[in-house]
Amino acid sequence: MMGRQANGQDRLFYSFNLEDHVPQSHLLRGIDRCLDFGGLREHLAEHYSPIGRPSIDPELMLRMLIVGYCYGIRSERRLCEELHLNLAYRWFCRLGLEDPVPDHSTFSKNRHGRFRDSGVFRWLFDEVVRRCMAAGLVKAEGFAVDASIVAADASSQRGVPGTEPVDWKDPALSTRAVREYLQGLDAEALGKVLPKKISLTDPQASWTAAVGGPAFYAYSTNYLIDVAHGVILDVQATPAHRTAETESTKVMVERVQAQFELKPQRLIGDTAYGTAAMLSWMVDERGIEPHVSVWDRTQRDDETFSSSEFTWDEQANEYTCPQGRPLRSQWRAFKIERSHVTKADTIIYSARKQDCSSCPMKQRCCPNTPVRKIARSVHEAARDVARKIATTEQYERSRCERKKVEMLFAHLKRILRLNRLRLRGPSGASDEFTMAAVVQNLRRLAVMVPQGPPFQGISAPA
């Protein structure tokens, strides 16, 4: 017998409890057990007036943003619509069935105002990292670092060549991202490299084609993770060029040490982090084992001798060629001692002309120059340490562990759908990358510690 739904009179009273309609295995339940907003009001106290109309609870806005980033809801307007309809979202945000959902415009005002000025996203990120530490997910034995390019919210057609002057006082260009750019023009990080193209919408976004295909404006998100369980310990937004990405590693390692008193025994990275200066910073300044491929352009592929086939003598401060002839940085004494260090932080070692001209192996050594020269980095000792580590079994294991960073980037773009920014400027990119890292850590914490981490060593809940 075919049933038929009754169209009776609407019920006057309902007995409905949100708690009963959210499954115990729901992801948001696990995340809720891992969250602690006990110190939020104290952190934001000076950014709110003690008088006047009460504002929307900042915890509610952060919970809504966590839902949005967790489920890839990038639009704040759509986030408010989904929160209005979804019971699990309402339960997580502590809203009853009849409670109103905040207007989407509230996010913009707070994101670009008190949230950004107070650094509340960084505060939340640090609190979540402490929860991961309390749960035993951070071992601090090995860190891995990498960067991934994310497209900026800037049209490729609205840009000018880097050599072309721009009237930034034009009212049409007076945007928040442009103001940030003008404020940072005197900073050391800017102005070192003349950009090929500048966006009039987001001037600090880099014009890049690093991923292959057409060029576009982009920022880089830099992750520093603990390789034990893939917990993100720090995140940094930078323009999408290699120099800024490598320099951000120093900032993140130092910040993690200052904030959490964590220092790794080894740091894992790809060849981009294997420059001589970077290796020297790891080995000589920080005492960290560099599990990084050395950035080396001295190897030759034209069947002539590479610099690695010359023997280095530390005491004599000279190289010895395969024929047993020396290469030195100077062949005569000077009244005023010279360092011989070039602008590239190298010292040039050269052979004597008479040795090379009479050498039977000249065609295999320096067929196009009168003498053989070798440029030795002033940080060559640190490079040698990295080369020695690269021959160990631990290094091979580190190569596999480095993939955990790439997996996080894949999750960031495919699951969280952060393949293009919605906010502009370095501060906007930083806010988005930080919130995404918060959610990635929360998801990992909820899965690996379903009962929730203990509160020892961190602020207790209110």
PDB file of all heavy atoms in Angstrom, residues 410-434:
ATOM      1  N   ALA A 410      48.649  20.271  -0.514  1.00  0.00           N
ATOM      2  CA  ALA A 410      47.609  19.655  -1.344  1.00  0.00           C
ATOM      3  C   ALA A 410      46.260  19.722  -0.633  1.00  0.00           C
ATOM      4  O   ALA A 410      45.231  20.018  -1.249  1.00  0.00           O
ATOM      5  CB  ALA A 410      47.983  18.206  -1.659  1.00  0.00           C
ATOM      6  N   HIS A 411      46.261  19.457   0.659  1.00  0.00           N
ATOM      7  CA  HIS A 411      45.032  19.547   1.450  1.00  0.00           C
ATOM      8  C   HIS A 411      44.523  20.984   1.480  1.00  0.00           C
ATOM      9  O   HIS A 411      43.307  21.230   1.397  1.00  0.00           O
ATOM     10  CB  HIS A 411      45.308  19.044   2.865  1.00  0.00           C
ATOM     11  CG  HIS A 411      44.125  19.091   3.776  1.00  0.00           C
ATOM     12  ND1 HIS A 411      43.854  20.171   4.599  1.00  0.00           N
ATOM     13  CD2 HIS A 411      43.129  18.199   3.991  1.00  0.00           C
ATOM     14  CE1 HIS A 411      42.747  19.935   5.278  1.00  0.00           C
ATOM     15  NE2 HIS A 411      42.290  18.748   4.936  1.00  0.00           N
ATOM     16  N   LEU A 412      45.446  21.937   1.593  1.00  0.00           N
ATOM     17  CA  LEU A 412      45.076  23.348   1.639  1.00  0.00           C
ATOM     18  C   LEU A 412      44.320  23.769   0.384  1.00  0.00           C
ATOM     19  O   LEU A 412      43.319  24.485   0.456  1.00  0.00           O
ATOM     20  CB  LEU A 412      46.339  24.197   1.804  1.00  0.00           C
ATOM     21  CG  LEU A 412      46.187  25.711   1.780  1.00  0.00           C
ATOM     22  CD1 LEU A 412      45.553  26.206   3.070  1.00  0.00           C
ATOM     23  CD2 LEU A 412      47.532  26.392   1.549  1.00  0.00           C
ATOM     24  N   LYS A 413      44.772  23.301  -0.769  1.00  0.00           N
ATOM     25  CA  LYS A 413      44.212  23.768  -2.034  1.00  0.00           C
ATOM     26  C   LYS A 413      43.052  22.910  -2.529  1.00  0.00           C
ATOM     27  O   LYS A 413      42.118  23.432  -3.147  1.00  0.00           O
ATOM     28  CB  LYS A 413      45.313  23.812  -3.097  1.00  0.00           C
ATOM     29  CG  LYS A 413      46.408  24.833  -2.770  1.00  0.00           C
ATOM     30  CD  LYS A 413      47.484  24.863  -3.826  1.00  0.00           C
ATOM     31  CE  LYS A 413      48.543  25.905  -3.491  1.00  0.00           C
ATOM     32  NZ  LYS A 413      49.616  25.982  -4.509  1.00  0.00           N
ATOM     33  N   ARG A 414      43.077  21.627  -2.246  1.00  0.00           N
ATOM     34  CA  ARG A 414      42.051  20.754  -2.804  1.00  0.00           C
ATOM     35  C   ARG A 414      40.869  20.558  -1.852  1.00  0.00           C
ATOM     36  O   ARG A 414      39.728  20.458  -2.302  1.00  0.00           O
ATOM     37  CB  ARG A 414      42.656  19.393  -3.163  1.00  0.00           C
ATOM     38  CG  ARG A 414      43.769  19.488  -4.197  1.00  0.00           C
ATOM     39  CD  ARG A 414      44.240  18.128  -4.640  1.00  0.00           C
ATOM     40  NE  ARG A 414      43.181  17.389  -5.320  1.00  0.00           N
ATOM     41  CZ  ARG A 414      43.335  16.158  -5.819  1.00  0.00           C
ATOM     42  NH1 ARG A 414      44.503  15.551  -5.696  1.00  0.00           N
ATOM     43  NH2 ARG A 414      42.339  15.550  -6.416  1.00  0.00           N
ATOM     44  N   ILE A 415      41.135  20.487  -0.560  1.00  0.00           N
ATOM     45  CA  ILE A 415      40.062  20.254   0.403  1.00  0.00           C
ATOM     46  C   ILE A 415      39.557  21.571   0.982  1.00  0.00           C
ATOM     47  O   ILE A 415      38.346  21.831   1.017  1.00  0.00           O
ATOM     48  CB  ILE A 415      40.526  19.318   1.531  1.00  0.00           C
ATOM     49  CG1 ILE A 415      41.099  18.018   0.942  1.00  0.00           C
ATOM     50  CG2 ILE A 415      39.380  19.029   2.489  1.00  0.00           C
ATOM     51  CD1 ILE A 415      40.121  17.247   0.094  1.00  0.00           C
ATOM     52  N   LEU A 416      40.487  22.418   1.449  1.00  0.00           N
ATOM     53  CA  LEU A 416      40.082  23.711   1.992  1.00  0.00           C
ATOM     54  C   LEU A 416      39.826  24.743   0.895  1.00  0.00           C
ATOM     55  O   LEU A 416      39.357  25.844   1.182  1.00  0.00           O
ATOM     56  CB  LEU A 416      41.155  24.236   2.961  1.00  0.00           C
ATOM     57  CG  LEU A 416      41.524  23.319   4.131  1.00  0.00           C
ATOM     58  CD1 LEU A 416      42.421  24.057   5.109  1.00  0.00           C
ATOM     59  CD2 LEU A 416      40.291  22.788   4.834  1.00  0.00           C
ATOM     60  N   ARG A 417      40.195  24.427  -0.334  1.00  0.00           N
ATOM     61  CA  ARG A 417      39.922  25.248  -1.526  1.00  0.00           C
ATOM     62  C   ARG A 417      40.576  26.631  -1.460  1.00  0.00           C
ATOM     63  O   ARG A 417      40.052  27.603  -2.001  1.00  0.00           O
ATOM     64  CB  ARG A 417      38.403  25.402  -1.719  1.00  0.00           C
ATOM     65  CG  ARG A 417      37.681  24.080  -1.873  1.00  0.00           C
ATOM     66  CD  ARG A 417      36.194  24.270  -2.030  1.00  0.00           C
ATOM     67  NE  ARG A 417      35.497  22.985  -2.058  1.00  0.00           N
ATOM     68  CZ  ARG A 417      34.173  22.847  -2.108  1.00  0.00           C
ATOM     69  NH1 ARG A 417      33.405  23.931  -2.147  1.00  0.00           N
ATOM     70  NH2 ARG A 417      33.629  21.660  -2.114  1.00  0.00           N
ATOM     71  N   LEU A 418      41.722  26.679  -0.826  1.00  0.00           N
ATOM     72  CA  LEU A 418      42.448  27.948  -0.776  1.00  0.00           C
ATOM     73  C   LEU A 418      43.456  27.986  -1.923  1.00  0.00           C
ATOM     74  O   LEU A 418      44.671  27.946  -1.735  1.00  0.00           O
ATOM     75  CB  LEU A 418      43.160  28.116   0.570  1.00  0.00           C
ATOM     76  CG  LEU A 418      43.808  29.477   0.844  1.00  0.00           C
ATOM     77  CD1 LEU A 418      42.775  30.589   0.754  1.00  0.00           C
ATOM     78  CD2 LEU A 418      44.465  29.507   2.203  1.00  0.00           C
ATOM     79  N   ASN A 419      42.954  28.027  -3.147  1.00  0.00           N
ATOM     80  CA  ASN A 419      43.828  28.128  -4.311  1.00  0.00           C
ATOM     81  C   ASN A 419      43.857  29.546  -4.882  1.00  0.00           C
ATOM     82  O   ASN A 419      44.554  29.809  -5.858  1.00  0.00           O
ATOM     83  CB  ASN A 419      43.404  27.134  -5.394  1.00  0.00           C
ATOM     84  CG  ASN A 419      41.911  27.203  -5.668  1.00  0.00           C
ATOM     85  OD1 ASN A 419      41.250  28.194  -5.322  1.00  0.00           O
ATOM     86  ND2 ASN A 419      41.378  26.153  -6.260  1.00  0.00           N
ATOM     87  N   ARG A 420      43.081  30.440  -4.254  1.00  0.00           N
ATOM     88  CA  ARG A 420      43.117  31.844  -4.635  1.00  0.00           C
ATOM     89  C   ARG A 420      42.678  32.668  -3.426  1.00  0.00           C
ATOM     90  O   ARG A 420      41.710  32.324  -2.750  1.00  0.00           O
ATOM     91  CB  ARG A 420      42.193  32.131  -5.825  1.00  0.00           C
ATOM     92  CG  ARG A 420      42.258  33.583  -6.308  1.00  0.00           C
ATOM     93  CD  ARG A 420      41.283  33.821  -7.450  1.00  0.00           C
ATOM     94  NE  ARG A 420      41.270  35.228  -7.880  1.00  0.00           N
ATOM     95  CZ  ARG A 420      42.054  35.733  -8.817  1.00  0.00           C
ATOM     96  NH1 ARG A 420      42.919  34.944  -9.442  1.00  0.00           N
ATOM     97  NH2 ARG A 420      41.990  37.009  -9.143  1.00  0.00           N
ATOM     98  N   LEU A 421      43.412  33.732  -3.160  1.00  0.00           N
ATOM     99  CA  LEU A 421      43.102  34.568  -2.005  1.00  0.00           C
ATOM    100  C   LEU A 421      41.863  35.425  -2.257  1.00  0.00           C
ATOM    101  O   LEU A 421      41.556  35.772  -3.402  1.00  0.00           O
ATOM    102  CB  LEU A 421      44.296  35.471  -1.676  1.00  0.00           C
ATOM    103  CG  LEU A 421      45.570  34.764  -1.213  1.00  0.00           C
ATOM    104  CD1 LEU A 421      46.718  35.756  -1.136  1.00  0.00           C
ATOM    105  CD2 LEU A 421      45.364  34.097   0.130  1.00  0.00           C
ATOM    106  N   ARG A 422      41.173  35.770  -1.165  1.00  0.00           N
ATOM    107  CA  ARG A 422      40.048  36.696  -1.245  1.00  0.00           C
ATOM    108  C   ARG A 422      40.426  38.058  -0.667  1.00  0.00           C
ATOM    109  O   ARG A 422      39.860  39.074  -1.048  1.00  0.00           O
ATOM    110  CB  ARG A 422      38.845  36.136  -0.481  1.00  0.00           C
ATOM    111  CG  ARG A 422      38.228  34.919  -1.128  1.00  0.00           C
ATOM    112  CD  ARG A 422      37.018  34.456  -0.344  1.00  0.00           C
ATOM    113  NE  ARG A 422      35.969  35.456  -0.314  1.00  0.00           N
ATOM    114  CZ  ARG A 422      35.038  35.602  -1.241  1.00  0.00           C
ATOM    115  NH1 ARG A 422      35.035  34.798  -2.296  1.00  0.00           N
ATOM    116  NH2 ARG A 422      34.104  36.529  -1.132  1.00  0.00           N
ATOM    117  N   LEU A 423      41.365  38.077   0.286  1.00  0.00           N
ATOM    118  CA  LEU A 423      41.831  39.323   0.881  1.00  0.00           C
ATOM    119  C   LEU A 423      43.098  39.779   0.179  1.00  0.00           C
ATOM    120  O   LEU A 423      43.886  38.954  -0.311  1.00  0.00           O
ATOM    121  CB  LEU A 423      42.082  39.145   2.376  1.00  0.00           C
ATOM    122  CG  LEU A 423      40.899  38.626   3.203  1.00  0.00           C
ATOM    123  CD1 LEU A 423      41.281  38.526   4.678  1.00  0.00           C
ATOM    124  CD2 LEU A 423      39.683  39.524   3.022  1.00  0.00           C
ATOM    125  N   ARG A 424      43.332  41.075   0.170  1.00  0.00           N
ATOM    126  CA  ARG A 424      44.470  41.630  -0.558  1.00  0.00           C
ATOM    127  C   ARG A 424      45.520  42.177   0.397  1.00  0.00           C
ATOM    128  O   ARG A 424      45.246  42.486   1.550  1.00  0.00           O
ATOM    129  CB  ARG A 424      44.007  42.729  -1.506  1.00  0.00           C
ATOM    130  CG  ARG A 424      43.110  42.223  -2.626  1.00  0.00           C
ATOM    131  CD  ARG A 424      42.487  43.355  -3.412  1.00  0.00           C
ATOM    132  NE  ARG A 424      41.646  42.848  -4.503  1.00  0.00           N
ATOM    133  CZ  ARG A 424      40.841  43.591  -5.221  1.00  0.00           C
ATOM    134  NH1 ARG A 424      40.750  44.906  -4.976  1.00  0.00           N
ATOM    135  NH2 ARG A 424      40.122  43.064  -6.188  1.00  0.00           N
ATOM    136  N   GLY A 425      46.742  42.324  -0.142  1.00  0.00           N
ATOM    137  CA  GLY A 425      47.834  42.856   0.648  1.00  0.00           C
ATOM    138  C   GLY A 425      48.492  41.783   1.494  1.00  0.00           C
ATOM    139  O   GLY A 425      47.927  40.706   1.712  1.00  0.00           O
ATOM    140  N   PRO A 426      49.696  42.049   2.002  1.00  0.00           N
ATOM    141  CA  PRO A 426      50.392  41.075   2.851  1.00  0.00           C
ATOM    142  C   PRO A 426      49.611  40.713   4.102  1.00  0.00           C
ATOM    143  O   PRO A 426      49.616  39.561   4.528  1.00  0.00           O
ATOM    144  CB  PRO A 426      51.705  41.784   3.191  1.00  0.00           C
ATOM    145  CG  PRO A 426      51.869  42.846   2.167  1.00  0.00           C
ATOM    146  CD  PRO A 426      50.493  43.267   1.769  1.00  0.00           C
ATOM    147  N   SER A 427      48.935  41.695   4.709  1.00  0.00           N
ATOM    148  CA  SER A 427      48.173  41.399   5.920  1.00  0.00           C
ATOM    149  C   SER A 427      46.973  40.508   5.603  1.00  0.00           C
ATOM    150  O   SER A 427      46.636  39.608   6.381  1.00  0.00           O
ATOM    151  CB  SER A 427      47.707  42.698   6.580  1.00  0.00           C
ATOM    152  OG  SER A 427      46.929  43.469   5.683  1.00  0.00           O
ATOM    153  N   GLY A 428      46.329  40.756   4.461  1.00  0.00           N
ATOM    154  CA  GLY A 428      45.210  39.900   4.069  1.00  0.00           C
ATOM    155  C   GLY A 428      45.673  38.479   3.790  1.00  0.00           C
ATOM    156  O   GLY A 428      45.025  37.506   4.207  1.00  0.00           O
ATOM    157  N   ALA A 429      46.798  38.329   3.080  1.00  0.00           N
ATOM    158  CA  ALA A 429      47.343  36.999   2.812  1.00  0.00           C
ATOM    159  C   ALA A 429      47.730  36.307   4.108  1.00  0.00           C
ATOM    160  O   ALA A 429      47.486  35.108   4.290  1.00  0.00           O
ATOM    161  CB  ALA A 429      48.544  37.111   1.876  1.00  0.00           C
ATOM    162  N   SER A 430      48.320  37.064   5.036  1.00  0.00           N
ATOM    163  CA  SER A 430      48.717  36.486   6.319  1.00  0.00           C
ATOM    164  C   SER A 430      47.508  35.995   7.102  1.00  0.00           C
ATOM    165  O   SER A 430      47.535  34.915   7.701  1.00  0.00           O
ATOM    166  CB  SER A 430      49.489  37.528   7.131  1.00  0.00           C
ATOM    167  OG  SER A 430      49.856  37.016   8.391  1.00  0.00           O
ATOM    168  N   ASP A 431      46.424  36.776   7.099  1.00  0.00           N
ATOM    169  CA  ASP A 431      45.210  36.362   7.816  1.00  0.00           C
ATOM    170  C   ASP A 431      44.647  35.068   7.241  1.00  0.00           C
ATOM    171  O   ASP A 431      44.286  34.145   7.989  1.00  0.00           O
ATOM    172  CB  ASP A 431      44.149  37.458   7.728  1.00  0.00           C
ATOM    173  CG  ASP A 431      44.489  38.680   8.570  1.00  0.00           C
ATOM    174  OD1 ASP A 431      45.458  38.603   9.347  1.00  0.00           O
ATOM    175  OD2 ASP A 431      43.805  39.705   8.426  1.00  0.00           O
ATOM    176  N   GLU A 432      44.585  34.984   5.922  1.00  0.00           N
ATOM    177  CA  GLU A 432      44.015  33.790   5.299  1.00  0.00           C
ATOM    178  C   GLU A 432      44.896  32.564   5.519  1.00  0.00           C
ATOM    179  O   GLU A 432      44.411  31.478   5.846  1.00  0.00           O
ATOM    180  CB  GLU A 432      43.806  34.036   3.808  1.00  0.00           C
ATOM    181  CG  GLU A 432      42.714  35.050   3.482  1.00  0.00           C
ATOM    182  CD  GLU A 432      41.967  34.698   2.230  1.00  0.00           C
ATOM    183  OE1 GLU A 432      41.334  33.620   2.181  1.00  0.00           O
ATOM    184  OE2 GLU A 432      42.017  35.500   1.275  1.00  0.00           O
ATOM    185  N   PHE A 433      46.201  32.704   5.341  1.00  0.00           N
ATOM    186  CA  PHE A 433      47.103  31.565   5.530  1.00  0.00           C
ATOM    187  C   PHE A 433      47.112  31.114   6.982  1.00  0.00           C
ATOM    188  O   PHE A 433      47.177  29.912   7.268  1.00  0.00           O
ATOM    189  CB  PHE A 433      48.518  31.945   5.090  1.00  0.00           C
ATOM    190  CG  PHE A 433      48.652  32.209   3.610  1.00  0.00           C
ATOM    191  CD1 PHE A 433      49.655  33.039   3.124  1.00  0.00           C
ATOM    192  CD2 PHE A 433      47.791  31.634   2.705  1.00  0.00           C
ATOM    193  CE1 PHE A 433      49.787  33.287   1.771  1.00  0.00           C
ATOM    194  CE2 PHE A 433      47.909  31.875   1.341  1.00  0.00           C
ATOM    195  CZ  PHE A 433      48.914  32.704   0.874  1.00  0.00           C
ATOM    196  N   THR A 434      47.046  32.060   7.916  1.00  0.00           N
ATOM    197  CA  THR A 434      47.068  31.697   9.328  1.00  0.00           C
ATOM    198  C   THR A 434      45.805  30.944   9.722  1.00  0.00           C
ATOM    199  O   THR A 434      45.865  29.922  10.418  1.00  0.00           O
ATOM    200  CB  THR A 434      47.226  32.953  10.203  1.00  0.00           C
ATOM    201  OG1 THR A 434      48.421  33.647   9.829  1.00  0.00           O
ATOM    202  CG2 THR A 434      47.316  32.584  11.673  1.00  0.00           C
TER     203      THR A 434
END
